[in-house]
Amino acid sequence: MKKILLVLSLLALFNMMQVSGSRSSGRNRNQVTVPENNSTSQTSTETSNPTAEETDTTDDNSSTSTSTSSGSDLESVLLTLHNNIRSSLGISSLSWSSSLASSAQSWSDTMASTGNFKHSGTDGVGENIAYGTARVYDASDLFGFWSSESKYYISGADYPDVSTTGSASDVGHYTQIIWGETTEVGCGLSESSSGLNYLTCQYSPQGNIIGEPVY
């Protein structure tokens, strides 16, 4: 009788251990591990100024450009964005320049292939440049960084006394976009092998001239 009771006790204990093990395994199977996201978004902008040299450089460790945007799509998007702003201020519209676009595209390709974010130094033109993570920032997003400077712009003042911050560089992209004497624009977009979009827009005649009104 004692042997029978001992066997039954051992069987009961074994069954309890099985149930407990099964529940523990079930919890482990249903656990979800969320991987840490190490990706980051990068952005930066620069505007050329005929009165000062700017050479901000950022190395993105890329060596080759992997793609460029469709020229016709880029023209449609960026010309519309420029002229919508100018129209809202009563400023004459810009025309698209194929020669400026070719020059701008060449410079975007150069920045994408070298990873050096700086101005081209092209004589006789104004220039806005920007870069951002390609999967996050397209051409219209990068343009938006320039146009967002309007919140600091002082209307009716002569350049460079055109910013509420006291620094013309805080509105320099925007003032080039709306510069009254500028009549043409051309832009180029290029994606680097590391996944950064580089945007260049060149303007003629150039803006941001000291002592002159914006428009």
Side-chain angles (χ1 to χ4, degrees):
M1 178 63 97
K2 291 182 179 181
K3 290 183 178 180
I4 293 174
L5 290 174
L6 180 58
V7 170
L8 291 175
S9 297
L10 291 173
L11 287 174
L13 180 60
F14 178 76
N15 287 334
M16 290 176 64
M17 292 177 64
Q18 285 285 83
V19 171
S20 175
S22 176
R23 288 175 180 169
S24 177
S25 298
R27 285 196 297 270
N28 291 335
R29 283 196 300 269
N30 293 331
Q31 285 179 343
V32 177
T33 301
V34 179
E36 183 179 355
N37 187 350
N38 293 320
S39 63
T40 58
S41 297
Q42 304 179 50
T43 60
S44 188
T45 60
E46 283 292 335
T47 184
S48 64
N49 186 332
T51 64
E53 182 179 359
E54 296 174 307
T55 56
D56 185 19
T57 303
T58 301
D59 184 3
D60 73 343
N61 297 319
S62 62
S63 59
T64 58
S65 171
T66 57
S67 67
T68 56
S69 65
S70 165
S72 60
D73 291 343
L74 196 68
E75 174 182 348
S76 176
V77 169
L78 289 175
L79 190 58
T80 297
L81 289 171
H82 278 85
N83 286 334
N84 281 349
I85 292 175
R86 293 174 69 93
S87 176
S88 70
L89 298 173
I91 307 171
S92 58
S93 295
L94 299 178
S95 298
W96 188 262
S97 166
S98 58
S99 59
L100 288 176
S102 177
S103 176
Q105 183 63 60
S106 177
W107 185 244
S108 287
D109 290 344
T110 296
M111 288 192 292
S113 64
T114 63
N116 291 327
F117 180 66
K118 63 181 182 179
H119 284 292
S120 66
T122 304
D123 289 336
V125 301
E127 184 175 84
N128 285 345
I129 59 176
Y131 79 82
T133 306
R135 58 185 171 76
V136 180
Y137 302 102
D138 61 15
S140 60
D141 295 318
L142 295 174
F143 178 88
F145 293 130
W146 300 338
S147 62
S148 68
E149 295 173 355
S150 62
K151 60 181 176 289
Y152 303 122
Y153 174 64
I154 298 175
S155 180
D158 290 347
Y159 192 86
D161 302 318
V162 291
S163 175
T164 59
T165 68
S167 175
S169 63
D170 291 332
V171 296
H173 304 96
Y174 179 69
T175 52
Q176 175 58 88
I177 289 169
I178 65 171
W179 196 262
E181 295 300 313
T182 298
T183 59
E184 294 182 313
V185 64
C187 304
L189 181 72
S190 187
E191 182 180 348
S192 72
S193 60
S194 63
L196 294 177
N197 269 341
Y198 287 86
L199 176 65
T200 303
C201 284
Q202 294 183 350
Y203 304 82
S204 181
Q206 65 189 23
N208 295 351
I209 308 297
I210 284 181
E212 294 191 8
V214 177
Y215 64 89

